[in-house]
Amino acid sequence: MPRRPRTDGSSSPDTSTMLRAQHAEATRRAVLAAARSLFGRKGYAQTSVDEIADAARVTKGAVYHHFASKEALFRAVYAEVEAETEARATGAGDPGGAPVDQIIARMNAYLDAALDEETRRIGLIDGPVVLGQEILDAADRQRGHVDLRSFIAASIARGQIVDLDPDLLAHLIRGTFGLSGMLIAHVGDPEKTRQTLGQALHAMLQGLAAGKER
């Protein structure tokens, strides 16, 4: 027999569950946004959970309900920042252009992202310190690495990039990007460093082109 709609003005169990889930997700997003802003401006060590709770307008208990620790919260913020940076780099350039030109476009997008204060602080300064080996251990599984490795392998198969190990090349390229980003993050003149590094990396990456693509 079909369930009759409630007429007493109260919510059904399904509606109540949905509303609680929406509220929980809204709280989680508010905590993430507050943490990202504070970590980006003040840094991980200088930001307290109390400050994050105040900025998100939730209780400290609500923060810990969604994130077991300050480090766990930072890990989530770091993942969000890295995903946005990866998307920015992967989407750069002309899809119909030469493969090396597309890689150079990704490089330029990454270096530009490193100029953003929030990205620089969270992804390039505090990330390696707080998460350390965890970042390196996850390198093979990161979407940016997998996408670049596949792109390089396909380009090698078409004779457009020198025939070298695609996985190793992807690690070297992304490692060079990461090192360049850290140099930008730790110098007194990020804009000038970014320009100089861009020129150097452009020259280096051009060497990946196969003979007929040079």
Side-chain angles (χ1 to χ4, degrees), residues 110-126:
Y110 182 87
L111 296 185
D112 287 341
L115 292 173
D116 177 76
E117 181 182 5
E118 194 174 78
T119 301
R120 189 163 67 240
R121 183 77 199 195
I122 295 169
L124 297 167
I125 296 176
D126 285 342

PDB file of all heavy atoms in Angstrom, residues 110-126:
ATOM      1  N   TYR A 110      51.675  26.005 -14.558  1.00  0.00           N
ATOM      2  CA  TYR A 110      52.094  25.621 -13.203  1.00  0.00           C
ATOM      3  C   TYR A 110      52.906  26.736 -12.555  1.00  0.00           C
ATOM      4  O   TYR A 110      52.689  27.075 -11.378  1.00  0.00           O
ATOM      5  CB  TYR A 110      52.910  24.336 -13.248  1.00  0.00           C
ATOM      6  CG  TYR A 110      53.339  23.867 -11.880  1.00  0.00           C
ATOM      7  CD1 TYR A 110      52.505  23.053 -11.109  1.00  0.00           C
ATOM      8  CD2 TYR A 110      54.560  24.259 -11.329  1.00  0.00           C
ATOM      9  CE1 TYR A 110      52.876  22.645  -9.840  1.00  0.00           C
ATOM     10  CE2 TYR A 110      54.935  23.851 -10.059  1.00  0.00           C
ATOM     11  CZ  TYR A 110      54.094  23.047  -9.317  1.00  0.00           C
ATOM     12  OH  TYR A 110      54.466  22.653  -8.054  1.00  0.00           O
ATOM     13  N   LEU A 111      53.833  27.319 -13.300  1.00  0.00           N
ATOM     14  CA  LEU A 111      54.656  28.389 -12.743  1.00  0.00           C
ATOM     15  C   LEU A 111      53.812  29.620 -12.412  1.00  0.00           C
ATOM     16  O   LEU A 111      54.063  30.295 -11.410  1.00  0.00           O
ATOM     17  CB  LEU A 111      55.778  28.764 -13.715  1.00  0.00           C
ATOM     18  CG  LEU A 111      56.819  27.679 -14.017  1.00  0.00           C
ATOM     19  CD1 LEU A 111      57.935  28.250 -14.889  1.00  0.00           C
ATOM     20  CD2 LEU A 111      57.397  27.087 -12.742  1.00  0.00           C
ATOM     21  N   ASP A 112      52.817  29.889 -13.234  1.00  0.00           N
ATOM     22  CA  ASP A 112      51.914  30.999 -12.938  1.00  0.00           C
ATOM     23  C   ASP A 112      51.131  30.724 -11.654  1.00  0.00           C
ATOM     24  O   ASP A 112      50.918  31.635 -10.840  1.00  0.00           O
ATOM     25  CB  ASP A 112      50.941  31.217 -14.101  1.00  0.00           C
ATOM     26  CG  ASP A 112      51.614  31.849 -15.317  1.00  0.00           C
ATOM     27  OD1 ASP A 112      52.710  32.433 -15.158  1.00  0.00           O
ATOM     28  OD2 ASP A 112      51.049  31.745 -16.426  1.00  0.00           O
ATOM     29  N   ALA A 113      50.715  29.480 -11.479  1.00  0.00           N
ATOM     30  CA  ALA A 113      49.979  29.124 -10.260  1.00  0.00           C
ATOM     31  C   ALA A 113      50.852  29.301  -9.021  1.00  0.00           C
ATOM     32  O   ALA A 113      50.360  29.658  -7.945  1.00  0.00           O
ATOM     33  CB  ALA A 113      49.483  27.677 -10.346  1.00  0.00           C
ATOM     34  N   ALA A 114      52.151  29.062  -9.182  1.00  0.00           N
ATOM     35  CA  ALA A 114      53.073  29.196  -8.055  1.00  0.00           C
ATOM     36  C   ALA A 114      53.208  30.641  -7.585  1.00  0.00           C
ATOM     37  O   ALA A 114      53.705  30.898  -6.485  1.00  0.00           O
ATOM     38  CB  ALA A 114      54.451  28.652  -8.432  1.00  0.00           C
ATOM     39  N   LEU A 115      52.749  31.587  -8.401  1.00  0.00           N
ATOM     40  CA  LEU A 115      52.789  32.996  -8.008  1.00  0.00           C
ATOM     41  C   LEU A 115      51.621  33.362  -7.096  1.00  0.00           C
ATOM     42  O   LEU A 115      51.652  34.400  -6.425  1.00  0.00           O
ATOM     43  CB  LEU A 115      52.766  33.898  -9.248  1.00  0.00           C
ATOM     44  CG  LEU A 115      54.016  33.854 -10.135  1.00  0.00           C
ATOM     45  CD1 LEU A 115      53.792  34.659 -11.405  1.00  0.00           C
ATOM     46  CD2 LEU A 115      55.237  34.369  -9.382  1.00  0.00           C
ATOM     47  N   ASP A 116      50.583  32.516  -7.097  1.00  0.00           N
ATOM     48  CA  ASP A 116      49.437  32.774  -6.229  1.00  0.00           C
ATOM     49  C   ASP A 116      49.830  32.532  -4.772  1.00  0.00           C
ATOM     50  O   ASP A 116      50.361  31.473  -4.424  1.00  0.00           O
ATOM     51  CB  ASP A 116      48.289  31.842  -6.623  1.00  0.00           C
ATOM     52  CG  ASP A 116      47.085  32.015  -5.720  1.00  0.00           C
ATOM     53  OD1 ASP A 116      46.375  33.018  -5.887  1.00  0.00           O
ATOM     54  OD2 ASP A 116      46.868  31.153  -4.840  1.00  0.00           O
ATOM     55  N   GLU A 117      49.564  33.506  -3.916  1.00  0.00           N
ATOM     56  CA  GLU A 117      50.024  33.427  -2.518  1.00  0.00           C
ATOM     57  C   GLU A 117      49.490  32.194  -1.799  1.00  0.00           C
ATOM     58  O   GLU A 117      50.226  31.508  -1.088  1.00  0.00           O
ATOM     59  CB  GLU A 117      49.611  34.684  -1.758  1.00  0.00           C
ATOM     60  CG  GLU A 117      50.057  34.703  -0.303  1.00  0.00           C
ATOM     61  CD  GLU A 117      49.588  35.936   0.442  1.00  0.00           C
ATOM     62  OE1 GLU A 117      48.832  36.729  -0.132  1.00  0.00           O
ATOM     63  OE2 GLU A 117      49.986  36.101   1.618  1.00  0.00           O
ATOM     64  N   GLU A 118      48.218  31.903  -1.982  1.00  0.00           N
ATOM     65  CA  GLU A 118      47.597  30.766  -1.301  1.00  0.00           C
ATOM     66  C   GLU A 118      48.188  29.449  -1.788  1.00  0.00           C
ATOM     67  O   GLU A 118      48.555  28.578  -0.981  1.00  0.00           O
ATOM     68  CB  GLU A 118      46.091  30.794  -1.561  1.00  0.00           C
ATOM     69  CG  GLU A 118      45.278  29.884  -0.669  1.00  0.00           C
ATOM     70  CD  GLU A 118      43.805  30.081  -0.905  1.00  0.00           C
ATOM     71  OE1 GLU A 118      43.289  29.553  -1.904  1.00  0.00           O
ATOM     72  OE2 GLU A 118      43.153  30.771  -0.094  1.00  0.00           O
ATOM     73  N   THR A 119      48.312  29.311  -3.101  1.00  0.00           N
ATOM     74  CA  THR A 119      48.889  28.100  -3.676  1.00  0.00           C
ATOM     75  C   THR A 119      50.335  27.929  -3.235  1.00  0.00           C
ATOM     76  O   THR A 119      50.778  26.823  -2.901  1.00  0.00           O
ATOM     77  CB  THR A 119      48.828  28.158  -5.213  1.00  0.00           C
ATOM     78  OG1 THR A 119      47.464  28.284  -5.622  1.00  0.00           O
ATOM     79  CG2 THR A 119      49.426  26.905  -5.836  1.00  0.00           C
ATOM     80  N   ARG A 120      51.063  29.018  -3.242  1.00  0.00           N
ATOM     81  CA  ARG A 120      52.484  28.976  -2.887  1.00  0.00           C
ATOM     82  C   ARG A 120      52.674  28.543  -1.436  1.00  0.00           C
ATOM     83  O   ARG A 120      53.475  27.661  -1.137  1.00  0.00           O
ATOM     84  CB  ARG A 120      53.090  30.369  -3.118  1.00  0.00           C
ATOM     85  CG  ARG A 120      54.595  30.420  -2.988  1.00  0.00           C
ATOM     86  CD  ARG A 120      55.138  31.692  -3.625  1.00  0.00           C
ATOM     87  NE  ARG A 120      54.754  32.905  -2.916  1.00  0.00           N
ATOM     88  CZ  ARG A 120      54.055  33.894  -3.455  1.00  0.00           C
ATOM     89  NH1 ARG A 120      53.629  33.813  -4.702  1.00  0.00           N
ATOM     90  NH2 ARG A 120      53.760  34.981  -2.748  1.00  0.00           N
ATOM     91  N   ARG A 121      51.905  29.128  -0.550  1.00  0.00           N
ATOM     92  CA  ARG A 121      52.066  28.843   0.878  1.00  0.00           C
ATOM     93  C   ARG A 121      51.646  27.413   1.220  1.00  0.00           C
ATOM     94  O   ARG A 121      52.349  26.687   1.926  1.00  0.00           O
ATOM     95  CB  ARG A 121      51.233  29.829   1.697  1.00  0.00           C
ATOM     96  CG  ARG A 121      51.381  29.673   3.203  1.00  0.00           C
ATOM     97  CD  ARG A 121      52.669  30.275   3.673  1.00  0.00           C
ATOM     98  NE  ARG A 121      53.052  29.768   4.977  1.00  0.00           N
ATOM     99  CZ  ARG A 121      53.981  30.340   5.738  1.00  0.00           C
ATOM    100  NH1 ARG A 121      54.610  31.412   5.324  1.00  0.00           N
ATOM    101  NH2 ARG A 121      54.289  29.828   6.902  1.00  0.00           N
ATOM    102  N   ILE A 122      50.485  27.012   0.710  1.00  0.00           N
ATOM    103  CA  ILE A 122      49.946  25.695   1.061  1.00  0.00           C
ATOM    104  C   ILE A 122      50.648  24.571   0.303  1.00  0.00           C
ATOM    105  O   ILE A 122      51.056  23.569   0.887  1.00  0.00           O
ATOM    106  CB  ILE A 122      48.428  25.650   0.789  1.00  0.00           C
ATOM    107  CG1 ILE A 122      47.697  26.625   1.723  1.00  0.00           C
ATOM    108  CG2 ILE A 122      47.882  24.232   0.964  1.00  0.00           C
ATOM    109  CD1 ILE A 122      46.240  26.855   1.371  1.00  0.00           C
ATOM    110  N   GLY A 123      50.777  24.743  -1.011  1.00  0.00           N
ATOM    111  CA  GLY A 123      51.301  23.667  -1.837  1.00  0.00           C
ATOM    112  C   GLY A 123      52.802  23.537  -1.866  1.00  0.00           C
ATOM    113  O   GLY A 123      53.329  22.425  -2.003  1.00  0.00           O
ATOM    114  N   LEU A 124      53.511  24.669  -1.729  1.00  0.00           N
ATOM    115  CA  LEU A 124      54.957  24.647  -1.965  1.00  0.00           C
ATOM    116  C   LEU A 124      55.810  24.918  -0.730  1.00  0.00           C
ATOM    117  O   LEU A 124      56.972  24.534  -0.695  1.00  0.00           O
ATOM    118  CB  LEU A 124      55.310  25.663  -3.057  1.00  0.00           C
ATOM    119  CG  LEU A 124      54.691  25.364  -4.426  1.00  0.00           C
ATOM    120  CD1 LEU A 124      54.815  26.577  -5.345  1.00  0.00           C
ATOM    121  CD2 LEU A 124      55.336  24.148  -5.049  1.00  0.00           C
ATOM    122  N   ILE A 125      55.239  25.571   0.260  1.00  0.00           N
ATOM    123  CA  ILE A 125      56.017  25.856   1.474  1.00  0.00           C
ATOM    124  C   ILE A 125      55.633  24.904   2.604  1.00  0.00           C
ATOM    125  O   ILE A 125      56.458  24.152   3.118  1.00  0.00           O
ATOM    126  CB  ILE A 125      55.835  27.324   1.909  1.00  0.00           C
ATOM    127  CG1 ILE A 125      56.395  28.270   0.827  1.00  0.00           C
ATOM    128  CG2 ILE A 125      56.534  27.575   3.245  1.00  0.00           C
ATOM    129  CD1 ILE A 125      56.188  29.750   1.115  1.00  0.00           C
ATOM    130  N   ASP A 126      54.359  24.909   2.975  1.00  0.00           N
ATOM    131  CA  ASP A 126      53.935  24.078   4.110  1.00  0.00           C
ATOM    132  C   ASP A 126      53.686  22.615   3.733  1.00  0.00           C
ATOM    133  O   ASP A 126      53.929  21.721   4.543  1.00  0.00           O
ATOM    134  CB  ASP A 126      52.667  24.659   4.744  1.00  0.00           C
ATOM    135  CG  ASP A 126      52.948  25.899   5.575  1.00  0.00           C
ATOM    136  OD1 ASP A 126      54.124  26.104   5.939  1.00  0.00           O
ATOM    137  OD2 ASP A 126      52.009  26.659   5.849  1.00  0.00           O
TER     138      ASP A 126
END
